[in-house]
Amino acid sequence: MTPIALALVILAGLIHAIWNIAAKKAGGDVRFAAFSALMMMVIWAPLGLWLGWRVVPLWGAQEWTLVAVSGALHVVYYIVLLRGYRKSDLTVVYPLARGSGPLLSSLVALFLLGERVTLLGALGVVAVVAGVFLIAGGPGLFRAAQEPAKRARVRAGMAYGLVTGVFIASYTVVDGYAVKVVLMSPILVDYFGNFVRLVFLVPTLLVDRTAAAALWRTQWKYALVVAVLSPIGYVLVLFAMQTAPLSHVAPAREVSMLFAALIGGQLLGEGDRALRIFGAACIAFGVMALALG
């Protein structure tokens, strides 16, 4: 992985951790996802229109299919993630989602896209996954909690985290193919994919407008954070994918867990800091191994 690609991934990791903490604090549902998507459309319209003015009219069936599939996968991912945040702790859902997703996408890149990984790179992938597991709670995840409510909460977090990871892997492979093989603009892939998300999300605001308005008054600040930061973080990752193997970039994205472990644990008070900091150190080692390998 080139130094530029590594720098993009690290910056994207910080941004990703920040907006996920905002989403967790919002405690929103699919309507929060709709608020975020609407604000993304407005905030990033000048850039999207400027870059797409000449390019988008030249898109064919392949490009539009990739955008449609990407948008659909992203919206399901975000809805499942938000539901997981309502049912469990961020420090359970987030690490499992971020760990299982890159592992699956790396396997797809290796076996279907023909990418290669060195022994050091493979060790980096293992270190990242192990670090994510430790941050999520380590062996304690497999031990029954004393309180039934806590046990149910942890199990729910594990289930939602793993399902979220499947969708992360899916959209990572689709978007990676779009920017690496089809050579589409990362910014346009993300921006126009958001219109697909709006098709699914906006109707949820119309079912009960009074409730949607009440939620807007309490959640718009968090939605604004997501709308501004989420596209930046993901576009940086897509740019990194253009110059580095997807099987390296996907696991290296988990540097976000370094920031989530330190920032999220402090702000959300979810405990077990020593174990999670050790897990973050494993991730740091893994990212550096991927960079060198």
Side-chain angles (χ1 to χ4, degrees):
M1 189 185 304
T2 65
I4 293 178
L6 179 61
L8 291 175
V9 171
I10 291 175
L11 178 58
L14 174 60
I15 293 171
H16 194 278
I18 292 173
W19 79 252
N20 268 266
I21 291 170
K24 166 66 176 176
K25 290 178 72 67
D29 55 14
V30 64
R31 288 166 292 189
F32 178 78
F35 298 151
S36 303
L38 284 169
M39 296 177 84
M40 286 179 198
M41 178 188 67
V42 175
I43 292 170
W44 296 105
L47 182 60
L49 294 175
W50 178 60
L51 292 177
W53 187 257
R54 296 181 182 274
V55 176
V56 173
L58 301 178
W59 282 359
Q62 183 182 37
E63 287 82 0
W64 283 114
T65 299
L66 288 169
V67 167
V69 173
S70 172
L73 290 172
H74 274 275
V75 75
V76 178
Y77 144 76
Y78 195 32
I79 292 172
V80 174
L81 179 69
L82 290 175
R83 184 170 179 82
Y85 285 163
R86 295 198 308 275
K87 299 293 184 179
S88 187
D89 291 344
L90 177 141
T91 41
V92 173
V93 179
Y94 185 76
L96 287 173
R98 300 313 309 171
S100 57
L103 177 60
L104 293 171
S105 56
S106 294
L107 292 175
V108 171
L110 291 172
F111 291 104
L112 296 184
L113 300 183
E115 293 187 358
R116 297 291 182 268
V117 64
T118 65
L119 179 61
L120 181 60
L123 182 61
V125 173
V126 173
V128 168
V129 174
V132 168
F133 171 68
L134 291 174
I135 289 177
L141 282 174
F142 300 106
R143 293 195 300 264
Q146 293 183 356
E147 306 87 354
K150 183 177 180 180
R151 180 169 62 249
R153 188 172 179 83
V154 170
R155 288 180 176 176
M158 292 175 65
Y160 280 106
L162 292 173
V163 173
T164 302
V166 171
F167 285 102
I168 290 174
S170 300
Y171 75 64
T172 298
V173 172
V174 170
D175 294 348
Y177 182 85
V179 302
K180 289 179 70 68
V181 179
V182 186
L183 302 180
M184 297 175 67
S185 164
I187 295 174
L188 294 180
V189 169
D190 187 66
Y191 184 71
F192 281 89
N194 188 55
F195 285 99
V196 178
R197 298 192 284 271
L198 286 171
V199 171
F200 293 98
L201 295 174
V202 169
T204 65
L205 300 177
L206 305 178
V207 174
D208 189 339
R209 298 183 183 182
T210 301
L215 288 173
W216 168 260
R217 287 191 291 271
T218 61
Q219 296 177 354
W220 73 267
K221 293 181 180 178
Y222 300 112
L224 178 61
V225 173
V226 174
V228 172
L229 295 184
S230 176
I232 296 175
Y234 192 57
V235 166
L236 290 177
V237 169
L238 293 181
F239 274 115
M241 286 183 186
Q242 288 185 320
T243 60
L246 187 153
S247 55
H248 285 194
V249 173
R253 290 184 66 193
E254 304 330 299
V255 71
S256 63
M257 291 310 308
L258 287 165
F259 305 112
L262 299 175
I263 301 174
Q266 179 68 29
L267 293 180
L268 303 177
E270 294 180 353
D272 294 330
R273 291 185 188 173
L275 184 65
R276 287 166 177 160
I277 290 175
F278 179 67
C282 290
I283 293 173
F285 168 78
V287 170
M288 293 307 299
L290 286 165
L292 297 174

